[in-house]
Amino acid sequence: MAFSADELRVLRRALAIALHPAPLQDEDVQDCLRLAESVDEAVREAGRLRAFLLDDLVRYREALPGSLAGYLGLLRDALNAGYDPGVDDLAALRALRGNPAAAELLARCRILAERSVRARLARVSQATGSPAPAPVPVGAAIAPRARLLALPGGRAAAGEPKPNPPSGPAPGEKPVPKPSEVFPPRRRPVPPPPPEERVAG
């Protein structure tokens, strides 16, 4: 944002009055009000330009890879204007990282995204009073879930008897029959003798 010579004079006068309060003349008050209106209008115009830039960025991103050059230029301008890259930008740049310019922007966007996540976590921790968890690096692989393992104790520790390994029957106990004893194998039927043998008999 650039100030004209007159606006700089008014700004200097306003700062001097803020540091050393003194009665203001009506002309000085009107000049300060006009300067404030100019600053507000410049802020609104910057917001409109930012909105247009981000809309163009979305359109160029949706038209990838044909709009590669335009997308990279718009993304670079948006980053210079304070834009925090989103998940869609990171995904698009990962798909285009074969291009050197895209790979360079991907590295820059990862740093900015991690910085943004850290800042949000710090704000949350200040609001809740609890320490912020360590952020997961952007693009890091998710670690596999740990498998549940049996821990010592459980029902056996509560007084229930532990199962014994397979062994012979205790003295006085009836042995458990084997399946072959309960269900004996079927015998194959004997075919009847030939007719000659029956007549001879």
Side-chain angles (χ1 to χ4, degrees):
M1 181 176 179
F3 291 100
S4 66
D6 290 339
E7 289 173 338
L8 285 176
R9 178 184 57 79
V10 174
L11 181 60
R12 189 181 300 110
R13 175 66 175 157
L15 291 175
I17 294 171
L19 293 174
H20 305 286
L24 287 176
Q25 299 180 0
D26 292 342
E27 183 180 356
D28 291 333
V29 172
Q30 294 300 322
D31 289 341
C32 289
L33 291 176
R34 281 193 293 271
L35 178 61
E37 290 176 0
S38 298
V39 171
D40 291 341
E41 179 57 30
V43 171
R44 288 192 292 269
E45 181 64 20
R48 288 192 290 269
L49 291 176
R50 177 185 173 86
F52 289 141
L53 174 61
L54 296 183
D55 288 342
D56 283 344
L57 182 64
V58 171
R59 284 193 290 271
Y60 274 76
R61 186 174 62 225
E62 291 175 350
L64 287 171
S67 58
L68 174 62
Y71 171 70
L72 295 181
L74 285 172
L75 180 58
R76 192 175 289 107
D77 292 341
L79 295 176
N80 292 337
Y83 170 68
D84 283 334
V87 176
D88 293 336
D89 296 307
L90 293 172
L93 290 173
R94 278 195 293 269
L96 300 168
R97 59 175 170 255
N99 180 286
E104 179 184 355
L105 274 177
L106 176 60
R108 180 181 175 187
C109 286
R110 280 177 171 167
I111 295 173
L112 293 175
E114 289 181 10
R115 189 179 301 165
S116 177
V117 170
R118 291 179 187 277
R120 285 197 298 270
L121 291 176
R123 287 195 296 269
V124 170
S125 64
Q126 289 177 357
T128 59
S130 59
V136 178
V138 176
I142 298 176
R145 294 184 178 180
R147 298 177 60 186
L148 295 178
L149 302 176
L151 298 176
R155 290 187 299 179
E160 294 188 10
K162 296 181 181 179
N164 292 325
S167 60
E173 290 186 1
K174 187 177 179 180
V176 178
K178 298 179 180 179
S180 61
E181 296 173 353
V182 178
F183 304 102
R186 292 184 180 182
R187 295 183 179 180
R188 301 177 67 179
V190 178
E196 295 82 3
E197 296 182 4
R198 284 189 298 199
V199 171

